[in-house]
C-alpha cells in the first residue's frame, strides 16, 4: 500500500465513480503509453495491479486490461467488478473462454491459467481481496450480478 492508497479507497467508494470509468481508462491508457507501461493509475494509487492480456473470444486479437489484483501466495486474485456497474467486463468473457492468459506484474511477465472461484473458495478469496480493496463490498452492493473472482496461477 502506498501513501495515496487511502485517497484512492475514498475516491473508489463514491457512488458515481462507475460513470467515470471510461475517462479513467483513457487516462490510464495514455499514462501507460507515455511511460512505456511502467506506470499506471493503480501504481500512483499505491495499489497492487497487473496487466492482463487475453485473446478476444470473438476477434482472436490479444486484449490488455490493467486490473487491481491481490497477490495471494504464488497466485493473484482478480475480480470482474467494473466498479459495481451493471455490465460484466468484456475481459471476463474472454478469460472464461481462454485456456491461458498472460500477465505483467511489476517486472514479472508470465503465462497464467485462470480458475473462476465458486462457493467457499470464492468467499475466502473475497475476504482476502477486501483487505486490499474494501470497496469491493460497495461494488457488490451496487450490482445485482455476482462479481466473478479468478485465481491466476503460473503455467
Amino acid at each position: 500500500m502506498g501513501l495515496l492508497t487511502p485517497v484512492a479507497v475514498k475516491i473508489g467508494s463514491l457512488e458515481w465513480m462507475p460513470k467515470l470509468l471510461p475517462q479513467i481508462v483513457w487516462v490510464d491508457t495514455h499514462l501507460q503509453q507515455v511511460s512505456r507501461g511502467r506506470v499506471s493509475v493503480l501504481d500512483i494509487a499505491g495499489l497492487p495491479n497487473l496487466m492482463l492480456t487475453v485473446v478476444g473470444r470473438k476477434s482472436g486479437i490479444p486484449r490488455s486490461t490493467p486490473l487491481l489484483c491481490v497477490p495471494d501466495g504464488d497466485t493473484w486474485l482478480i475480480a470482474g467488478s467494473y466498479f459495481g456497474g451493471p455490465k460484466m467486463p468484456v475481459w471476463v468473457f474472454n478469460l472464461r473462454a481462454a485456456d491461458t492468459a498472460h500477465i505483467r506484474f511489476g517486472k514479472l511477465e508470465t503465462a497464467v491459467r485462470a480458475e473462476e472461484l465458486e462457493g467457499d473458495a470464492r468467499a475466502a478469496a473475497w475476504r482476502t481481496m477486501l483487505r486490499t480493496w474494501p470497496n469491493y463490498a460497495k461494488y457488490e452492493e451496487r450490482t445485482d450480478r455476482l462479481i466473478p473472482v479468478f485465481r491466476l496461477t503460473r503455467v
Side-chain angles (χ1 to χ4, degrees):
M1 298 294 179
L3 187 61
L4 294 178
T5 303
V7 174
V9 170
K10 180 67 176 165
I11 291 170
S13 71
L14 299 172
E15 194 169 321
W16 46 264
M17 195 61 184
K19 294 176 184 169
L20 291 181
L21 193 55
Q23 290 84 356
I24 293 167
V25 170
W26 184 89
V27 168
D28 195 44
T29 299
H30 287 83
L31 178 60
Q32 290 191 47
Q33 285 174 348
V34 169
S35 69
R36 295 188 180 135
R38 291 186 299 268
V39 180
S40 74
V41 168
L42 292 168
D43 290 320
I44 293 169
L47 293 164
N49 63 92
L50 56 79
M51 180 66 73
L52 174 72
T53 301
V54 62
V55 173
R57 69 194 183 289
K58 293 179 183 177
S59 69
I61 297 170
R63 306 286 184 184
S64 296
T65 307
L67 297 172
L68 176 80
C69 71
V70 177
D72 189 34
D74 292 339
T75 67
W76 299 267
L77 299 170
I78 58 173
S81 66
Y82 208 63
F83 285 94
K87 293 184 179 180
M88 191 72 73
V90 174
W91 67 260
V92 169
F93 299 110
N94 293 337
L95 191 59
R96 286 174 174 163
D99 292 328
T100 60
H102 186 270
I103 64 165
R104 185 178 72 237
F105 178 73
K107 294 183 180 184
L108 173 70
E109 294 194 29
T110 187
V112 293
R113 182 160 283 114
E115 173 191 7
E116 187 166 0
L117 302 178
E118 297 177 353
D120 291 342
R122 184 195 179 279
W126 191 252
R127 286 189 299 273
T128 299
M129 296 177 82
L130 286 171
R131 287 194 293 273
T132 297
W133 188 246
N135 289 329
Y136 281 133
K138 291 188 185 309
Y139 301 165
E140 194 170 40
E141 292 171 6
R142 287 182 194 158
T143 188
D144 293 331
R145 63 184 176 83
L146 179 66
I147 295 173
V149 174
F150 296 89
R151 179 177 303 281
L152 304 178
T153 306
R154 282 188 189 193
V155 175

